[in-house]
Amino acid sequence: MLYPGSPAFSFQDSIGDSLPTSISQRIFHGIQSVNITGKSSLSNPEVTREQFVVFVIDLLRGTAEEKSAVILPMIRADNSEQVTGQQIQQFLEDLIGAAVHLLHKQNVLHGWSLENTSDCNAGIHTLATQLMSQLLKSNGAQSQDAPELSSISRAAIEDWLYKVPMISTFLRVVITLGFSVLQQSVEQQRDVSSLVPRCRRGKTPPFTSLLDLPAIMYLNSHLPSEMQHKWRLLFSTQVHGESFSQLCGHLVDQGPSLLVLRDSGGFIFGGFASQNWEVKPQFQGDSRCFLFSVSPRLDVFTYTGYNDHYMYLNHSQQTMPNGLGMGGQHDYFGLWIDSNFGKGHSKAKPRCTTYNSPQLSATEEFSIDSMEVWGLGDLSEELQVKNKKSILDVDPEAQALLEMTGRTRQSEGLRDQDDDET
């Protein structure tokens, strides 16, 4: 615990530089707002241990009503009564920035870094705007990009905290890491793993992901809980080249995955495949699949119930489309990557029927600038066994033919090794 033993203490002196100044000032106003004695302490430069303890308990364990009582002063960060949309936007940017700072400083980014991901500052603003958009919608705002609401009620804040649990997750991470409380608790470890999966890149050369840390956190929070703890790099055009056969070779039989693309217009988007990819001329997957946008706007688009066109992967067929698709229908996918690698489309007039997603790319027909695929969670025992076999193992006839020619099996002893965490 960072506070000293005295009943009252100077907050800023006690925490030093463990927290960014922007968030520490907000936390100080939140602690000040806790009324233990019934008298206002807003003008007092000191806070008491009792105020601090109540503040921490309310943020970590409190209801939405209890949390809102201390979060509102943190949002205002002054003695004003009014809470505006712009204040909330800035509060979110300070909060997300503090979480990234603490995760980096305390070496719990699990293989990710500020160097091997995209620009974090832009991502912080984009994620804050996304979280803010849900509050703006409930208050009747016309635009998700303009938090100009002049006054937001405490009831609206309570409802927002209830509907957007990621805000409470960020608050808990900042409090537990910033003040060294409950750092080994199951809840704290679950919060961190839901935000930051372990990054495993195997023996691939260093490369910069298309995703920034806030986008990784946002997308990971939407994955099924059993897939949140680990992302395994399966394919990257930076590493494996621009080839559909390479993509399929690294994608098939690797379990659930996350596909991320950047088109030539600079838009970043992709899809979550909840099941193992198989090459076949039928749709596959289930209702947990979703499409998403990262840039210029961060958002997730989930199953509508309209049809079951979740995932599609096919090649070398004359009568069926050859490529990878998610959502919509043949020739009108929400996301399509052609087997002639480098081209694709995102068609939505006005929305993709399967996921209710808009056009994800800068133009309906797009060129791929870069792409990466992440395997999610641990491989099932069945897929682990399957991946240890070469094509000759699963095709005894091919093996016999090879042996008849007197040739050796070049793949023997060269099985894929488990990825090493980076």
Side-chain angles (χ1 to χ4, degrees):
M1 197 71 78
L2 291 179
Y3 62 83
S6 60
F9 60 95
S10 172
F11 177 75
Q12 196 60 54
D13 290 344
S14 67
I15 65 170
D17 61 355
S18 62
L19 286 166
T21 303
S22 58
I23 200 66
S24 67
Q25 291 175 342
R26 293 182 183 279
I27 291 173
F28 175 68
H29 284 287
I31 298 173
Q32 269 194 321
S33 71
V34 176
N35 197 326
I36 301 294
T37 63
K39 298 179 181 179
S40 174
S41 62
L42 293 179
S43 60
N44 193 334
E46 294 185 334
V47 292
T48 66
R49 284 184 297 168
E50 289 78 7
Q51 285 179 301
F52 178 83
V53 169
V54 171
F55 170 83
V56 169
I57 291 173
D58 283 349
L59 280 189
L60 297 186
R61 312 282 190 187
T63 63
E65 180 180 2
E66 291 167 332
K67 288 178 183 177
S68 67
V70 293
I71 289 174
L72 278 170
M74 293 175 65
I75 294 172
R76 289 191 296 257
D78 56 31
N79 296 335
S80 66
E81 292 298 322
Q82 196 176 60
V83 175
T84 67
Q86 188 59 52
Q87 286 176 318
I88 295 175
Q89 174 79 19
Q90 190 58 57
F91 163 73
L92 288 170
E93 292 186 21
D94 290 346
L95 176 64
I96 299 166
V100 171
H101 168 83
L102 287 166
L103 290 165
H104 172 68
K105 183 177 180 180
Q106 300 200 20
N107 297 316
V108 283
L109 284 177
H110 301 318
W112 303 99
S113 73
L114 300 181
E115 290 74 37
N116 67 16
T117 54
S118 296
D119 177 34
C120 195
N121 291 324
I124 288 170
H125 173 78
T126 304
L127 177 53
T129 300
Q130 205 294 323
L131 297 178
M132 180 71 188
S133 69
Q134 298 184 53
L135 178 61
L136 295 173
K137 286 178 183 177
S138 64
N139 278 268
Q142 297 299 310
S143 170
Q144 295 186 20
D145 294 321
E148 65 273 348
L149 292 178
S150 59
S151 182
I152 301 174
S153 67
R154 176 173 169 178
I157 298 292
E158 288 179 20
D159 185 60
W160 181 50
L161 292 171
Y162 177 76
K163 291 180 178 178
V164 189
M166 195 173 193
I167 300 165
S168 294
T169 302
F170 276 123
L171 283 164
R172 289 194 299 268
V173 166
V174 168
I175 295 302
T176 53
L177 293 182
F179 292 97
S180 302
V181 294
L182 301 175
Q183 283 190 276
Q184 302 305 315
S185 69
V186 173
E187 294 89 345
Q188 197 272 348
Q189 293 177 25
R190 187 185 300 123
D191 283 337
V192 172
S193 65
S194 72
L195 287 177
V196 188
R198 292 188 177 276
C199 171
R200 304 193 75 162
R201 295 189 287 110
K203 296 177 173 60
T204 59
F207 82 107
T208 301
S209 173
L210 296 172
L211 298 173
D212 52 58
L213 284 169
I216 291 166
M217 293 173 177
Y218 181 72
L219 294 174
N220 201 53
S221 72
H222 284 80
L223 298 177
S225 58
E226 67 272 17
M227 303 178 195
Q228 292 180 340
H229 66 285
K230 184 196 301 179
W231 289 19
R232 300 169 285 112
L233 182 67
L234 301 180
F235 173 81
S236 168
T237 51
Q238 299 178 52
V239 176
H240 303 103
E242 300 179 358
S243 162
F244 191 76
S245 61
Q246 280 281 348
L247 170 63
C248 291
H250 288 86
L251 180 66
V252 171
D253 290 336
Q254 293 298 322
S257 56
L258 197 78
L259 290 76
V260 190
L261 298 91
R262 181 174 61 209
D263 67 16
S264 57
F267 282 37
I268 301 174
F269 51 92
F272 161 58
S274 59
Q275 293 187 1
N276 183 51
W277 286 95
E278 298 179 68
V279 178
K280 59 183 181 180
Q282 295 97 30
F283 284 97
Q284 49 195 296
D286 61 36
S287 60
R288 297 175 299 169
C289 295
F290 59 75
L291 293 178
F292 60 85
S293 170
V294 171
S295 178
R297 173 171 291 169
L298 185 62
D299 212 344
V300 162
F301 308 98
T302 55
Y303 174 57
T304 63
Y306 185 84
N307 58 37
D308 61 357
H309 299 174
Y310 312 111
M311 305 158 48
Y312 176 89
L313 179 62
N314 195 37
H315 63 73
S316 301
Q317 289 257 332
Q318 293 184 348
T319 59
M320 298 293 289
N322 293 315
L324 182 152
M326 295 189 70
Q329 58 186 344
H330 294 311
D331 299 324
Y332 292 92
F333 283 92
L335 171 60
W336 173 255
I337 300 168
D338 198 82
S339 59
N340 258 338
F341 194 81
K343 300 292 183 181
H345 71 242
S346 177
K347 296 184 179 180
K349 296 194 179 293
R351 293 270 172 167
C352 168
T353 52
T354 311
Y355 299 113
N356 198 36
S357 54
Q359 179 180 302
L360 301 173
S361 47
T363 56
E364 190 174 84
E365 304 278 348
F366 63 83
S367 298
I368 299 173
D369 174 72
S370 187
M371 180 178 179
E372 62 195 45
V373 181
W374 296 90
L376 304 171
D378 298 307
L379 277 177
S380 66
E381 290 185 11
E382 178 185 358
L383 289 178
Q384 287 183 46
V385 171
K386 201 169 184 179
N387 278 311
K388 288 179 180 177
K389 296 181 178 180
S390 75
I391 185 63
L392 299 180
D393 293 321
V394 297
D395 190 347
E397 187 174 326
Q399 180 182 341
L401 286 171
L402 184 64
E403 290 173 350
M404 287 172 61
T405 65
R407 297 180 182 178
T408 59
R409 294 178 56 179
Q410 299 298 325
S411 63
E412 193 70 47
L414 299 178
R415 312 299 191 183
D416 287 341
Q417 301 297 312
D418 290 338
D419 291 339
D420 295 320
E421 185 176 331
T422 57

